[in-house]
Amino acid sequence: MSALGRKSDQVYNWIRAYIDENKFSANLKLPSEHVICMRLDVSRETVRQALDRLAREELVYKVRGSGTYINKAVALSREMGNASACVKIGLILQGQDANANSGLISGIRNVMREKQADLHLFFTDNKFSSERNCLNVVAYQDYDGFIVDGVKASLLNPNLDCYRYIYQKKIPVIFYNNYYKELKYPRVINNDWKCALELLGLLARAGHKHIAGIFVYDNYQSIEKFRGYVTALRKYGVEFDDDYVKWCVSNEAHSPGFYKEVGKFLKGLPKCTAIVCCNFMILQAVRRSMEESGKRVPEDYSLVCFDYSGSDWEEAGITCSVHPGYQMGQQVGSRLLRMIENHEYADNGYSYVFEPRIYEGRSIRRIGGTERGGRTGGTG
């Protein structure tokens, strides 16, 4: 499938989720093409492909000079038409990393296809208010279970009462990536602490002593990555310096202008030779900042990245942990189905931890020598 086709599928899924969330309300108008382009960082052509597909399915219709609207009658009849499905599952996504979401959704659908599961997507945009709306839908519309990526999971969540109500109703729930420690639900996660040890180890063994890190503080995954970052520095005898760590909130890291903040941060670190990016979106901001300032990888800065979710990691040559999007979807989907079949709604052994899959690319320069660290291919 072409890149345009993949992006069109992502837009299609996002709009389908918007329709699911709004088909019972009085708000039947879709966001404008411009708003969707800005929100999902895609072209108008991509958005129009997705809208044309939805129009052919009669889920939306266009009004000249006004916009695109949800066809409420069709949307509600589609809901009724799925009543024969074996199970009805809600998938609550943050929606900020479209590449990772695409792989995850494909993995979930793959394992649920034979069960004829009815999968409904919801997007929170990493907002507590949106998460609460999603939870109210799955709690009161006869869902058999749901899968969720927690919102700002390192902070105190104001929606724990919703989760406790769902727990009392004995609706199975499984988290992936981010979860809430206050709850007893299972989770499928990456071993981010161990991943940090491996990535930092590659930098340290290449001679790097001044290693910057960019992390988000409202994300549980990022906190674990930072914990591993600090542990690795100590393990390899590198002094920790607070000035070499940039903290930001998730929404800030995903904003178009974040690369400018990255540039200011790096200008204040004249000795810095390497940068640790806690996710794919931050890596993109770092690379854009470097391009604008005329810096090169790895000559000026060595780069490593957690959770590389693009499909071009070998071509890009960035030393990284490869995000297990599809495999994570398979794991989280199959485990939720077993919970539903076994009438289990607490953890009871359903959690799973992915070990790091490290790709050693061409983005690490060896300090004090001509050889550049990292193999040209392979995973570990």
Side-chain angles (χ1 to χ4, degrees):
M1 182 183 293
S2 68
L4 180 60
R6 288 195 299 271
K7 288 186 176 181
S8 177
D9 281 346
Q10 293 163 7
V11 176
Y12 173 86
N13 286 330
W14 188 89
I15 299 174
R16 278 298 305 265
Y18 185 92
I19 291 171
D20 274 342
E21 290 179 51
N22 288 277
K23 63 190 173 188
F24 294 102
S25 73
N27 175 33
L28 297 179
K29 186 175 182 179
L30 292 181
S32 69
E33 289 182 6
H34 176 71
V35 168
I36 297 174
C37 288
M38 295 297 293
R39 167 65 188 80
L40 302 180
D41 191 23
V42 295
S43 68
R44 282 218 174 193
E45 181 184 359
T46 301
V47 173
R48 286 171 181 167
Q49 272 196 6
L51 289 173
D52 288 345
R53 178 179 169 187
L54 288 160
R56 289 194 299 271
E57 296 174 358
E58 298 184 341
L59 281 166
V60 303
Y61 61 93
K62 297 180 180 180
V63 176
R64 186 182 295 275
S66 179
T68 305
Y69 292 81
I70 299 169
N71 190 335
K72 188 170 184 176
V74 173
L76 291 175
S77 67
R78 288 284 182 92
E79 179 76 17
M80 295 172 63
N82 287 332
S84 62
C86 294
V87 289
K88 182 177 175 183
I89 304 296
L91 171 58
I92 299 179
L93 303 146
Q94 284 189 16
Q96 293 174 313
D97 188 337
N99 291 311
N101 287 337
S102 179
L104 181 99
I105 293 166
S106 296
I108 294 172
R109 283 182 170 154
N110 179 264
V111 300
M112 291 191 172
R113 190 172 293 117
E114 64 183 47
K115 297 291 184 181
Q116 297 181 337
D118 183 12
L119 185 66
H120 293 247
L121 274 60
F122 303 90
F123 289 92
T124 64
D125 290 332
N126 204 31
K127 295 179 181 178
F128 290 130
S129 57
S130 298
E131 181 189 44
R132 194 170 191 90
N133 292 336
C134 296
L135 293 174
N136 285 332
V137 170
V138 299
Y140 295 102
Q141 293 186 18
D142 298 322
Y143 278 75
D144 295 288
F146 72 100
I147 300 163
V148 60
D149 184 3
V151 169
K152 298 181 177 69
S154 65
L155 306 180
L156 180 62
N157 188 292
N159 299 326
L160 294 180
D161 59 321
C162 293
Y163 282 104
R164 292 186 176 116
Y165 174 74
I166 290 169
Y167 189 86
Q168 290 171 1
K169 291 188 68 175
K170 300 184 178 180
I171 300 175
V173 176
I174 188 166
F175 286 85
Y176 72 96
N177 284 342
N178 291 286
Y179 62 92
Y180 307 123
K181 293 183 178 180
E182 298 89 346
L183 303 176
K184 299 177 182 178
Y185 285 120
R187 73 283 308 225
V188 175
I189 59 174
N190 293 314
N191 190 335
D192 290 314
W193 179 82
K194 184 175 179 181
C195 184
L197 292 183
E198 295 195 25
L199 289 176
L200 269 294
L202 293 171
L203 289 173
R205 288 191 291 273
H208 291 272
K209 298 291 184 183
H210 302 283
I211 304 171
I214 304 178
F215 302 93
V216 294
Y217 63 77
D218 59 351
N219 182 301
Y220 174 75
Q221 287 178 285
S222 184
I223 297 300
E224 282 298 292
K225 292 166 185 175
F226 172 72
R227 190 170 70 88
Y229 166 86
V230 173
T231 302
L233 292 181
R234 291 172 178 165
K235 177 180 178 180
Y236 293 104
V238 178
E239 183 179 355
F240 172 77
D241 186 338
D242 291 82
D243 291 339
Y244 275 71
V245 176
K246 178 172 179 59
W247 290 102
C248 58
V249 297
S250 300
N251 292 347
E252 177 189 2
H254 296 143
S255 66
F258 181 65
Y259 74 96
K260 296 179 181 179
E261 296 301 316
V262 170
K264 294 177 184 177
F265 168 64
L266 295 176
K267 283 181 181 178
L269 303 175
K271 293 184 179 180
C272 177
T273 60
I275 308 166
V276 178
C277 306
C278 82
N279 60 41
F280 182 62
M281 306 298 288
I282 286 177
L283 172 69
Q284 291 177 307
V286 169
R287 295 181 73 180
R288 183 174 178 186
S289 174
M290 289 179 63
E291 287 173 8
E292 294 223 343
S293 60
K295 303 294 184 181
R296 296 178 298 168
V297 179
E299 290 83 358
D300 296 298
Y301 292 111
S302 294
L303 296 183
V304 299
C305 174
F306 289 89
D307 295 335
Y308 196 102
S309 57
S311 59
D312 64 338
W313 37 274
E314 288 183 300
E315 179 184 347
I318 300 296
T319 295
C320 61
S321 65
V322 180
H323 190 278
Y326 184 83
Q327 293 79 10
M328 182 172 280
Q330 289 183 309
Q331 286 288 344
V332 78
S334 61
R335 287 166 189 273
L336 180 63
L337 287 176
R338 290 206 303 272
M339 291 173 70
I340 293 170
E341 291 169 358
N342 297 333
H343 303 288
E344 294 271 10
Y345 56 97
D347 191 344
N348 295 332
Y350 290 99
S351 290
Y352 183 82
V353 179
F354 278 93
E355 290 302 303
R357 179 188 175 193
I358 305 296
Y359 171 73
E360 296 185 37
R362 306 176 296 278
S363 63
I364 296 179
R365 175 173 63 93
R366 186 169 295 278
I367 300 293
T370 58
E371 180 186 354
R372 287 169 190 165
R375 295 190 297 271
T376 305
T379 57

